[in-house]
């Protein structure tokens, strides 16, 4: 019936597409997809709409946006050989495709959220690269090209002679609603600076912001598109930017000139910039902000602190200068005489840290955030999340621990901390018992407050040491069980020191923010924690096995050595709770025991003497109890003793 309708209503169309119709099969779900049906870049959109009008139950036809994405994805896949196209279509995560990588002499890879997928067992040849490059636009100086009226980006790798030997074909998507979490800021006319690492979705968000400003709020929006990522390749911009206009940049070194040209020639109300990376571009953005134009831009980084430490981009947040204070002012502030301060007004009014595609950290007042970071205080942050239904899930605000630093008491002078003790040691030292007390109440989870170090670096270190199952980061220092900080930052912040002392929180410090130093400090934390920060799911099972081993060890030693041979036996080192159980078992056999060893080598020795009764027994128990009070159940580093099973002796 389907074929009859096509022949009856559109004979010219069938004549044109007759070679493709020869491959029709009854399996409509796999054959009538634009990805399979699409032969080249000139796929007619009217033919897609005609097919989508029939009741074919396929996710590709659920909406017009999905149809458009299928067509655009088909244009990208047309760069690949037939075998690679077939294998990538069969993948269950086709719609989540990230990019396709082709390098001469290597197997092609398709990258999905679940991992890499090999598209062919045959390595890529020169002919495959030439076939792909012939169907895309010209490569600019930045070695990027695109496919006309799509958001895909084709990046080239060249050899020393300039010949292309590899391609990275990245999938571009226009996701409507990706900027809904920022709608209130956009509506208020705030200038937004979006910060995030590569691949987190910065370009997708500012593209939707440009569409929102142009279509919903009827503003004159001009996009300065450095590498055609926002508006797509070709002279006609992609529909994802709505009514916004787009200016292409012929050379990335000229972006700052194009920014000024856009303001002077086209009278925009909003300027959208992607990837501000040089000092000239930052200065141009600062100039535009002084003219009363709303700015929306992105920059590479993880937190606002990265911009503060970036000499090329610090002008975006007002610039940083070193100021020498007088003695009275330094004493009043409780800081050193030389401090860092913001030089001038910030180019952007708001800052947004993109944690993931569904979570943002919003700094409503970027200047206040910069001032707080430079002063060693906690800035005001709003955490905004999007749930699976596309609705805003939560909006939480975290403020400074104390707004009045003069009321805080300094817990100690970290400047006197030696380099040997600066990593992994507590500050102050008398707080080490806090960790043991907390662990007995809640052994499953340790809440860590991070200060002066990027949370992403700490999380990476926790995963490396397999501590992520037992440690959870928190933004509330009052509920933290441990404070993990950068030594230089902690020395300058008396407020943090006072907060740690008032809440009796052990402090672990790293000398630098390098991964090696962070890992070293986390290893010290892991060793000092009484239960080793192991996976809480297996904690109970290990305790039971350890108790069984220890009691079996003591029983066999008593029945086969101490009693029949009347010889003393030394048991293996055990934690204090296990030693107590062994002592009870020894007393049931009416025998005596003594504690020997120090530190991690503390253990029991079973003596072949009868237990003293009555008065002597009670006095002996008191002495034994006093010994246990001075006994350290854990090693010098606080780690639990290892459990070695005693070989069973023959009956």
């Amino acid at each position: 019936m389907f074929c009859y309708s096509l022949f009856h209503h559109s004979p010219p169309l069938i004549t044109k597409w007759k070679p493709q119709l020869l491959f029709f099969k009854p399996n409509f779900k796999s054959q009538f997809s634009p990805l399979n049906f699409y032969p080249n870049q000139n796929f007619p959109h009217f033919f897609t709409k005609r097919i989508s009008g029939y009741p074919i139950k396929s996710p590709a036809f659920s909406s017009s946006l999905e149809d458009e994405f299928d067509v655009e994805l088909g244009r990208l896949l047309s760069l690949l050989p037939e075998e690679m196209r077939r294998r990538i279509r069969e993948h269950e995560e086709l719609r989540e495709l990230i990019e396709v990588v082709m390098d001469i002499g290597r197997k092609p890879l398709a990258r999905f959220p679940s991992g890499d997928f090999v598209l062919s067992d045959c390595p890529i040849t020169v002919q495959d690269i030439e076939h792909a490059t012939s169907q895309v636009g010209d490569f600019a100086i930045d070695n990027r090209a695109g496919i006309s009226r799509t958001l895909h980006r084709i990046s080239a790798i060249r050899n020393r002679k300039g010949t292309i030997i590899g391609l990275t074909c990245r999938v571009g998507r226009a996701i409507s609603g990706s900027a809904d979490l920022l709608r209130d800021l956009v509506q208020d006319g705030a200038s937004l600076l979006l910060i995030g690492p590569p691949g987190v979705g910065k370009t997708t968000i500012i593209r939707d912001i440009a569409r929102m400003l142009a279509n919903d709020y009827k503003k004159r929006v001009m996009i300065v598109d450095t590498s055609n990522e926002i508006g797509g390749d070709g002279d006609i911009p992609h529909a994802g930017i709505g009514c916004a206009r787009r200016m292409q940049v012929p050379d990335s070194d000229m972006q700052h000139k194009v920014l000024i040209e856009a303001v002077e020639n086209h009278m925009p109300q909003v300027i959208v910039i992607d990837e501000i990376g040089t000092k000239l571009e930052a200065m141009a953005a600062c100039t535009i902000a002084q003219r009363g134009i709303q700015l929306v831009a992105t920059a590479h980084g993880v937190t606002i602190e990265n911009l503060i430490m970036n000499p090329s981009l610090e002008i975006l947040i007002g610039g940083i200068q070193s100021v020498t204070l007088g003695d009275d002012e330094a004493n009043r502030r409780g800081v050193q005489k030389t401090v860092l301060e913001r030089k001038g007004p910030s180019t952007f009014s708001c800052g947004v840290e993109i944690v993931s595609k569904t979570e943002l950290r919003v700094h409503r007042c970027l200047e206040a955030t910069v001032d707080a970071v430079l002063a060693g205080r906690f800035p005001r942050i709003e955490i905004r999340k999007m749930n699976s239904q596309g609705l805003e899930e939560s909006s939480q605000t975290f403020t400074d621990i104390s707004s009045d630093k003069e009321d805080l008491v300094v817990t100690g002078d970290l400047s006197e901390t030696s380099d040997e003790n600066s990593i992994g040691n507590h500050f102050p030292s008398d707080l080490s018992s806090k960790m043991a007390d907390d662990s007995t109440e809640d052994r499953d989870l340790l809440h860590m407050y991070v200060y002066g170090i990027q949370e992403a670096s700490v999380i990476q270190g926790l995963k490396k040491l397999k501590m992520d199952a037992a440690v959870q980061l928190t933004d509330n220092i009052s509920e933290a069980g441990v404070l993990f900080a950068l030594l230089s930052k902690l020395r300058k912040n008396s407020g943090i020191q006072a907060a740690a002392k008032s809440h009796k929180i052990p402090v672990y410090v790293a000398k630098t923010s390098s991964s090696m130093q962070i890992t070293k400090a986390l290893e010290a934390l892991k060793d000092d924690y009484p239960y080793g920060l192991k996976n809480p799911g297996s904690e109970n099972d290990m305790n039971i096995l350890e108790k069984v081993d220890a009691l079996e060890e003591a029983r066999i030693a008593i029945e086969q050595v101490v009693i029949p041979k009347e010889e003393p036996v030394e048991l293996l080192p055990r934690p204090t709770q296990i030693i107590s159980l062994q002592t009870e078992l020894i007393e049931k056999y009416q025998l005596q025991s003594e504690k020997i060893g120090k530190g991690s080598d503390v253990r029991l020795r079973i003596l072949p003497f009868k237990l003293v009764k009555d008065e002597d027994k009670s006095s002996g128990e008191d002495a034994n109890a006093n010994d246990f009070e001075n006994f350290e159940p854990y090693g010098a580093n606080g780690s639990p003793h290892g459990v070695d099973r005693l070989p069973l002796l023959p009956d």
Side-chain angles (χ1 to χ4, degrees):
M1 182 177 180
F2 171 73
C3 293
Y4 169 77
S5 178
L6 282 178
F7 277 102
H8 183 72
H9 292 288
S10 184
L13 182 63
I14 294 302
T15 303
K16 181 177 180 180
W17 289 86
K18 185 174 181 180
Q20 281 70 33
L21 292 177
L22 295 176
F23 296 92
F24 280 5
K25 296 181 181 180
N27 187 356
F28 290 118
K29 182 176 181 180
S30 61
Q31 296 299 322
F32 288 102
S33 170
L35 300 181
N36 282 344
F37 198 82
Y38 173 65
N40 52 44
Q41 293 188 31
N42 298 320
F43 184 87
H45 295 276
F46 63 86
F47 188 72
T48 307
K49 295 179 181 179
R50 185 181 294 271
I51 292 179
S52 63
Y54 288 87
I56 302 175
K57 296 181 180 180
S58 173
F61 301 100
S62 60
S63 68
S64 59
L65 292 178
E66 292 179 346
D67 289 346
E68 285 294 329
F69 175 72
D70 284 342
V71 174
E72 292 185 10
L73 184 58
R75 292 177 180 174
L76 179 67
L77 297 184
S78 66
L79 307 180
L80 311 178
E82 178 60 32
E83 179 188 358
M84 295 170 56
R85 289 202 302 267
R86 178 182 55 81
R87 296 195 64 176
I88 203 171
R89 291 184 192 122
E90 295 173 353
H91 199 280
E92 58 183 4
E93 292 182 305
L94 173 61
R95 289 186 172 275
E96 285 75 38
L97 176 65
I98 299 174
E99 62 186 12
V100 177
V101 177
M102 296 190 296
D103 293 327
I104 292 180
R106 293 185 175 182
K107 297 179 181 180
L109 297 176
R111 289 175 176 167
F112 296 93
S114 60
D116 293 349
F117 176 71
V118 179
L119 295 178
S120 176
D121 295 331
C122 301
I124 294 296
T125 62
V126 176
Q127 290 74 19
D128 296 332
I129 298 294
E130 291 178 350
H131 170 73
T133 56
S134 63
Q135 301 185 57
V136 300
D138 297 331
F139 287 89
I141 297 179
D142 58 358
N143 285 319
R144 291 182 178 182
I147 303 174
S148 180
R149 303 193 70 176
T150 70
L151 301 174
H152 308 312
R153 187 181 74 189
I154 315 299
S155 302
I157 299 176
R158 300 180 184 269
N159 59 15
R160 299 182 63 182
K161 297 180 180 180
T163 305
I164 297 177
I165 58 174
L167 294 176
T168 301
C169 308
R170 188 171 183 179
V171 179
R173 294 176 174 86
I175 304 177
S176 180
S178 57
D180 285 348
L181 289 175
L182 304 174
R183 181 175 290 272
D184 58 330
L185 302 178
V186 173
Q187 184 178 5
D188 294 340
S191 293
L192 298 178
L193 178 62
L194 283 73
I195 305 169
V200 77
K202 298 187 299 296
T203 305
T204 303
I205 292 179
I206 64 170
R207 182 187 299 117
D208 196 48
I209 291 177
R211 179 200 59 79
M212 184 187 303
L213 286 168
N215 290 9
D216 299 346
Y217 303 113
K218 308 301 179 183
K219 291 189 177 183
R220 299 188 300 272
V221 180
M222 181 64 71
I223 299 173
V224 178
D225 209 350
T226 309
S227 55
N228 291 348
E229 284 192 81
I230 301 178
D233 200 61
D235 297 334
I236 303 176
H238 191 270
I241 66 173
C243 299
R245 304 179 69 189
R246 186 264 301 266
M247 290 185 66
Q248 301 185 39
V249 180
D251 188 349
S252 58
D253 295 336
M254 298 176 57
Q255 176 164 311
H256 62 284
K257 296 182 179 180
V258 179
L259 285 171
I260 302 300
E261 178 186 345
V263 177
E264 294 178 347
N265 294 351
H266 304 287
M267 200 174 61
Q269 294 175 307
V270 183
I271 291 287
V272 178
I273 320 164
D274 192 17
E275 295 185 10
I276 297 180
T278 66
K279 194 168 187 177
L280 290 175
E281 296 168 5
M283 293 176 63
C286 183
T287 302
I288 294 172
Q290 300 301 323
R291 304 187 184 188
I293 298 176
Q294 183 179 357
L295 286 176
V296 180
T298 65
H300 284 303
V302 179
T303 62
I304 300 296
E305 191 173 2
N306 296 135
L307 294 182
I308 297 176
M309 296 185 294
N310 191 333
S312 299
L313 302 181
E314 64 177 21
I315 191 176
L316 297 177
I317 45 91
I320 307 300
Q321 63 181 356
S322 178
V323 178
T324 301
L325 304 176
D327 294 338
D328 295 338
E329 180 65 17
N331 292 333
R332 187 185 69 83
R333 296 188 186 184
V335 296
Q336 299 177 351
K337 294 188 64 176
T338 302
V339 296
L340 296 178
E341 290 185 352
R342 180 167 49 86
K343 187 182 300 184
S346 175
T347 303
F348 296 86
S349 56
C350 299
V352 179
E353 298 172 1
I354 305 178
V355 181
S356 66
K357 298 184 185 300
T358 58
E359 181 177 353
L360 305 176
R361 303 180 67 178
V362 178
H363 301 261
R364 280 188 172 270
C365 183
L366 189 55
E367 293 181 355
T369 295
V370 175
D371 294 341
V373 172
L374 294 177
R377 302 193 309 270
F378 296 95
R380 179 182 294 270
I381 301 174
E382 292 183 11
I383 298 179
R384 303 185 178 186
K385 298 181 181 180
M386 188 81 73
N387 57 22
S388 58
Q389 286 74 30
L391 301 176
E392 186 172 344
E393 193 173 60
S394 63
S395 180
Q396 302 174 349
T397 303
F398 301 94
T399 57
D400 299 347
I401 294 178
S402 175
S403 58
D404 190 2
K405 289 180 60 177
E406 296 180 356
D407 295 337
L408 299 179
V409 180
V410 179
T411 58
D413 187 6
L414 282 179
S415 60
E416 299 177 357
T417 305
S418 63
D419 291 340
E420 295 179 358
N421 299 329
S422 62
I423 298 180
N425 288 344
H426 311 336
F427 173 77
S429 59
D430 60 346
L431 300 178
S432 58
S433 60
K434 172 67 166 56
M435 188 176 294
D437 295 339
D438 290 344
S439 62
T440 57
E441 298 175 0
D442 184 10
R443 300 180 182 180
D444 294 342
L445 208 58
L446 174 66
H447 293 86
M448 176 187 291
Y449 186 89
V450 179
Y451 174 71
I453 305 177
Q454 297 180 7
E455 293 185 357
S457 301
V458 177
I459 293 174
Q460 183 179 1
L462 292 173
K463 291 182 179 179
K464 181 179 179 181
L465 298 176
K466 298 181 180 179
M467 299 165 58
D468 54 317
V471 178
Q472 180 178 351
L473 303 187
T474 178
D475 290 308
N476 187 358
I477 195 171
S478 61
E479 68 178 19
V482 64
L483 172 62
F484 192 81
L486 187 65
L487 179 60
S488 59
K489 296 287 185 181
L490 190 59
R491 282 175 174 173
K492 299 177 182 178
N493 195 332
S494 59
I496 290 290
Q497 301 173 25
K501 182 176 181 179
S502 62
H503 292 92
K504 297 182 179 180
I505 301 174
V507 179
Y508 285 77
V509 294
K511 287 199 295 186
T512 65
S513 57
S514 65
S515 59
M516 182 181 68
Q517 295 291 342
I518 292 175
T519 303
K520 189 174 181 180
L522 289 176
E523 286 177 347
L525 169 63
K526 183 178 181 180
D527 294 338
D528 289 346
Y529 195 75
Y531 293 91
L533 294 178
K534 299 176 182 178
N535 192 331
S538 59
E539 184 80 24
N540 295 333
D541 296 338
M542 294 187 63
N543 288 339
I544 294 175
L545 292 176
E546 187 175 3
K547 293 176 183 178
V548 172
D549 284 346
L551 295 176
E552 184 69 9
E553 173 192 8
R555 183 189 67 81
I556 294 176
I558 293 172
E559 294 180 356
Q560 300 189 18
V561 179
V562 178
I563 294 179
K565 297 182 181 181
E566 297 185 353
E567 296 179 358
V569 174
E570 294 184 6
L571 304 180
L572 295 176
R574 303 284 184 182
T576 180
Q577 297 90 346
I578 305 300
I579 290 179
S580 299
L581 295 176
Q582 290 178 327
T583 302
E584 294 178 2
L585 179 64
I586 294 171
E587 291 177 353
K588 291 181 180 180
Y589 282 91
Q590 299 297 316
L591 296 175
Q592 295 185 27
S593 63
E594 62 180 359
K595 174 172 61 67
I596 60 175
K598 295 181 179 180
S600 60
D601 197 38
V602 176
R603 59 197 182 276
L604 283 181
R605 175 188 289 165
I606 305 176
L607 302 176
F609 305 121
K610 291 294 182 180
L611 186 66
V612 180
K613 299 181 179 179
D614 301 327
E615 305 88 13
D616 297 335
K617 177 180 177 181
S618 61
S619 62
E621 289 178 348
D622 293 338
N624 193 29
N626 293 331
D627 289 341
F628 273 100
E629 290 179 359
N630 299 324
F631 165 57
E632 294 291 340
Y634 301 94
N637 59 356
S639 59
H641 299 300
V643 180
D644 296 326
R645 183 184 293 273
L646 184 72
L648 297 178
L649 300 178
D651 295 330

